Each structure stands twice: as structure tokens, then as C-alpha cells.
Amino acid sequence: MTPVTSSGITAADETHLERAVALARDARDSGDEPFGSLLVTPGGEVLEAVNNIVTAADPTGHAETNLVRLAGRLDPAVRAGSVLYTSTEPCAMCAGAIYWSGIGRIVFALSSEQLGAMIGKPALRLSSREVFERGARPIVIDGPAALRSATEVHAGFWN
């Protein structure tokens, strides 16, 4: 098992998380579930993705998996030095995709436990940390970050 480490959430991280939440709002406004993610490379390139499971009729169309597909064109060393920011903690499927992509750090706003409490049920009782801890490479994960907007984007959606 590989230890999952934390480096702490900075003000710059919070700015990127706010963008991820704005992407989640865009997904919701488009008729999809409110989840958004972005990847920031060491060189400052930014890739963005939203959840599109409804509009694309793709149950794997979570924001993080869509982002991993976009990041696949990047050099593996670039992915390893990149940070994935997401509005909500990655589910087990997304955590697996992130792990296999080689992305080096994940930062999330709303935890899966917090989301489960809002919707009344957890989707899958397996945290991203548990997935990453089973891997053979180190990964840094930071979250949850206390952002009011990350909770607000879900308000009234799951009723």
C-alpha cells in the first residue's frame, strides 16, 4: 500500500476550486449533475470538464473521467506534475481513472460524505483516499475545502 499524503490547501488552490464549482454550476444549468473539474499543468495549461452523464447519455461521463480523457494527450511527466481540482471528492470510478492517468495531486471541495448527507444516501461507500491507498504509486490528495459555493451548487438539485 502506498501512503496518501497531503500538502495543505492554499489560496491558489481555493481559486481553482471555485472555478471547478463554477463548472459544476454550468453542468447543472445544462441539465446534468452538478460536478466540475479542471487540471492545471506545471506549465500553467488548464483543461476543464463537466459532468455530462445526462446530456451525453453516458453513465461514465463524470467530470473527472471526462477530464482524464482530455489529459490523456499530455505527456505522462506533465500529468504527474499536474493538479486535478474538483468540486466534489472523486467517486471510486473516477479515483481509479485518476490513479491510472498518473496525475500527481487531487484537491477537492465537497467530500463524498458531505454529498451523501445532502442527498440522503452515499452513492458508493468507498472514499477516493481508500482507492489511492491501494495503489503502488504515491499520490497527494487534499480536501475537503470549506467552500460555501460547493454546497450551494447542489442545493435543491437532489430533491
Side-chain angles (χ1 to χ4, degrees):
M1 292 220 244
T2 301
V4 176
T5 60
S6 174
S7 60
I9 297 173
T10 67
D13 291 334
E14 288 185 6
T15 298
H16 292 306
L17 286 173
E18 288 291 358
R19 177 63 187 148
V21 172
L23 291 166
R25 172 62 64 190
D26 292 347
R28 181 178 177 159
D29 292 347
S30 295
D32 285 295
E33 294 178 351
F35 301 99
S37 297
L38 62 121
L39 184 85
V40 180
T41 70
E45 181 180 359
V46 177
L47 305 175
E48 298 182 338
V50 297
N51 178 291
N52 65 353
I53 64 170
V54 175
T55 57
D58 177 0
T60 68
H62 293 197
E64 298 90 346
T65 54
N66 290 335
L67 188 60
V68 165
R69 288 182 191 107
L70 292 173
R73 66 179 173 80
L74 300 173
D75 181 86
V78 172
R79 287 195 308 266
S82 295
V83 181
L84 186 149
Y85 295 93
T86 189
S87 59
T88 305
E89 181 178 2
C91 71
M93 175 186 71
C94 293
I98 293 164
Y99 176 82
W100 289 115
S101 75
I103 293 168
R105 181 174 178 236
I106 296 88
V107 183
F108 64 88
L110 193 68
S111 75
S112 57
E113 286 183 13
Q114 292 168 313
L115 177 63
M118 291 178 68
I119 64 176
K121 61 179 179 176
L124 183 59
R125 294 176 194 261
L126 183 62
S127 76
S128 58
R129 279 185 174 85
E130 291 176 82
V131 173
F132 298 136
E133 285 173 353
R134 301 290 178 133
R137 72 172 180 87
I139 194 160
V140 177
I141 184 164
D142 288 303
L147 299 180
R148 173 177 278 157
S149 59
T151 302
E152 290 172 348
V153 73
H154 291 278
F157 183 83
W158 303 100
N159 302 0

